[in-house]
Every structure is written in C-alpha cells, then in structure tokens.
C-alpha cells in the first residue's frame, strides 16, 4: 500500500442497514473543501483502542462525482474489532481517514466489455467504478456478476436494477449459491463466467473479494484462457 499523504476528518452523516450484518456508512468532509479520489481507491481509517489508534483499509463504495463525501460498505465480522466499532457509531461521529490510496483503477484504453465480479461487500469499489463509468457516458458494455449466499443478502440490489433499466450497456447478474426461493442465476461467480463469458476476447475483468475468492477466481480465469493482463483485482483480508 502507498504511504498516506494526508489525513482528513470525516463526519458520519448517515447509516444504511443493508442486511443484518452489513451497513453502508455515509461520510462527509466538512473541514476541508475537497476530498478527491479515483473510483476504486480506498481510505485508511483510524479508530482508538487501548489509548492507541488502530488502522484498517476500506474501499470507497461511492464514485468521485458525489463530491466531498464517501460511502463505506462494511460487514460486521465476529470478533472483528474495527467492524464492531463501526456498528456502534452514531451520526455525528468524526473519524480520521488517510487517503486516497490504492491503484485498483480502471485501465485505459477501455476494452469492448468490462466484466465486474464480486462476492459480498467486495462489490464496494466496483459500485464506485460502475457509477463513475456511467457518469462519464462510457458506451462500452459493463457487466456486474455479484455472488451472494442467500437472496436476502444481496447488496445494493435496487440500485443495480435501476441502473440496468436506465443504461442499456449495463448488465446486472446477482447469483445465489444457496438459493431458497430464487428464480434468478444460481451458483458461484465462476459458474456465471463460464456459462456467459468463457471467451476472453476484447474483455477485461475487475474483481474484488476476500483473498481465497480472488485467488480461486484468478486460477479459474487463467484456466479459461484469460491472460494475466486482463485480470485486475483487489484482495481483502
């Protein structure tokens, strides 16, 4: 990770409960005029613990054109100090953040098809990138394959459905690995790639998720014939 260049104080203004274990935290930067970042980057947040500051990176889930604000989509992890700290916060809390950081950025020139692949909260930076590309009126095909275990855990589902209706070049494919009463796509993200997009020609992949998921996906895509330079990823621990 790059060395932080600047610290901003971000004020928590809104909390959305997306699922019982995932919340979307809206922050605004009130003390400085601008917080500029690129879609796909992250911030290093700081929270107190035993008279020290604990740091943890979180991808920015919102696009740069939503000026002077960012959103962080966070899952409460059992035994996780920082995520538990977040879930105890109330609007008005001021949190130090370092950033922007990271190089998980959309590469130029754009291919004919950008395929975004995520599981769970790994969709956070991809959400920002998709909104950013659509704001820039990119006409290339954009597809999002979002893998979730259960249908009641789909993140930003209404948003992505609305974007698909508004933009003919955006395709949204939620896929459920443990379906109960679900009529959409099922299985893992790899299953959807193999079924829909096994040919790597004129296509690049942007993937985000936990380390085991990303490593497994990279191996799978390589076996399908996707070249290394066509696979871009952000790993979370």
């Amino acid at each position: 990770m790059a060395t932080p260049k600047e610290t901003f104080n971000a004020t928590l203004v809104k909390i959305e409960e997306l699922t019982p274990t995932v919340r979307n935290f809206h922050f605004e930067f009130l003390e400085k005029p601008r917080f500029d970042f690129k879609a796909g980057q992250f911030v290093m947040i700081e929270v107190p613990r035993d008279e020290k500051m604990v740091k943890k990176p979180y991808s920015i889930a919102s696009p740069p054109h939503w000026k002077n604000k960012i959103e962080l989509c966070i899952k409460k992890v059992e035994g996780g100090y920082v995520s538990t700290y977040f879930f105890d916060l109330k609007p008005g809390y001021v949190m130090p953040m370092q950033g922007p950081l990271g190089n998980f950025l959309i590469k130029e020139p754009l291919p004919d098809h950008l395929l975004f692949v995520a599981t769970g909260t790994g969709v956070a930076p991809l959400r920002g990138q998709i909104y950013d590309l659509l704001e820039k009126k990119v006409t290339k095909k954009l597809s999002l394959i979002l893998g979730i275990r259960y249908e009641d855990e789909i993140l930003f589902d209404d948003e992505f459905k609305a974007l698909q209706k508004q933009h003919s070049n955006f395709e949204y494919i939620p896929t459920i690995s443990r379906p109960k009463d679900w009529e959409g796509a099922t299985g893992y993200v790899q299953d959807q790639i193999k079924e829909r997009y096994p040919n790597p020609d004129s296509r690049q992949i942007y993937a985000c998720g936990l380390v085991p998921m990303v490593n497994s996906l990279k191996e799978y895509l390589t076996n399908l014939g996707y070249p290394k330079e066509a696979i871009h990823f952000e790993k979370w621990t």
Side-chain angles (χ1 to χ4, degrees):
M1 295 180 180
T3 302
K5 295 181 180 179
E6 191 167 7
T7 298
F8 292 79
N9 286 327
T11 301
L12 180 61
V13 296
K14 180 181 177 182
I15 303 171
E16 293 177 273
E17 184 170 307
L18 303 182
T19 76
T21 60
V22 179
R23 293 178 183 172
N24 196 37
F25 296 83
H26 296 238
F27 287 92
E28 291 185 0
F29 298 91
L30 304 178
E31 296 184 1
K32 295 184 179 182
R34 294 179 69 90
F35 176 78
D36 293 319
F37 65 96
K38 296 178 181 178
Q41 289 190 299
F42 67 90
V43 290
M44 186 73 70
I45 61 91
E46 298 180 352
V47 300
R49 183 178 189 180
D50 299 331
E51 300 182 356
K52 296 181 180 180
M53 298 301 288
V54 177
K55 295 184 178 182
K56 186 173 179 62
Y58 282 107
S59 292
I60 300 171
S62 49
H65 64 273
W66 296 357
K67 291 296 184 184
N68 219 36
K69 64 165 288 185
I70 64 169
E71 297 177 13
L72 303 179
C73 181
I74 298 175
K75 179 179 179 65
K76 187 175 184 180
V77 178
E78 185 175 353
Y81 179 81
V82 177
S83 66
T84 300
Y85 189 92
F86 262 93
F87 271 60
D88 289 335
L89 295 180
K90 306 295 182 185
Y93 182 86
V94 178
M95 178 174 287
M97 295 185 180
Q98 294 177 331
L101 300 165
N103 296 301
F104 182 53
L105 309 174
I106 301 296
K107 306 294 189 297
E108 297 281 355
L110 297 180
D112 292 339
H113 185 196
L114 292 92
L115 179 55
F116 297 91
V117 183
T119 53
T121 53
V123 75
L126 308 185
R127 176 179 180 250
Q129 291 172 332
I130 290 166
Y131 268 109
D132 185 52
L133 290 167
L134 294 175
E135 169 70 13
K136 292 174 179 176
K137 302 188 186 306
V138 166
T139 58
K140 304 291 188 179
K141 183 173 181 179
L142 313 176
S143 298
L144 170 63
I145 299 178
L146 175 56
I148 302 289
R149 287 181 299 175
Y150 305 108
E151 50 259 48
D152 59 354
E153 295 180 342
I154 305 175
L155 304 178
F156 305 110
D157 189 48
D158 290 340
E159 281 189 28
F160 292 131
K161 286 177 179 176
L163 288 177
Q164 184 171 238
K165 288 183 178 180
Q166 296 164 7
H167 301 275
S168 60
N169 62 320
F170 175 62
E171 176 186 38
Y172 169 50
I173 308 165
T175 182
I176 308 301
S177 60
R178 301 179 188 178
K180 295 179 180 178
D181 184 21
W182 175 253
E183 296 180 356
T186 59
Y188 297 104
V189 293
Q190 294 94 324
D191 300 323
Q192 296 305 315
I193 295 172
K194 182 177 181 180
E195 177 183 338
R196 299 166 187 264
Y197 302 115
N199 188 338
D201 292 347
S202 302
R203 183 174 292 122
Q204 292 196 15
I205 305 246
Y206 287 83
C208 184
L210 295 173
V211 170
M213 171 270 184
V214 173
N215 288 343
S216 174
L217 180 63
K218 284 171 57 185
E219 181 180 358
Y220 188 86
L221 291 170
T222 300
N223 290 336
L224 273 182
Y226 278 84
K228 182 186 299 184
E229 57 271 19
I231 307 169
H232 315 282
F233 57 87
E234 186 87 306
K235 294 182 183 180
W236 289 359
T237 57

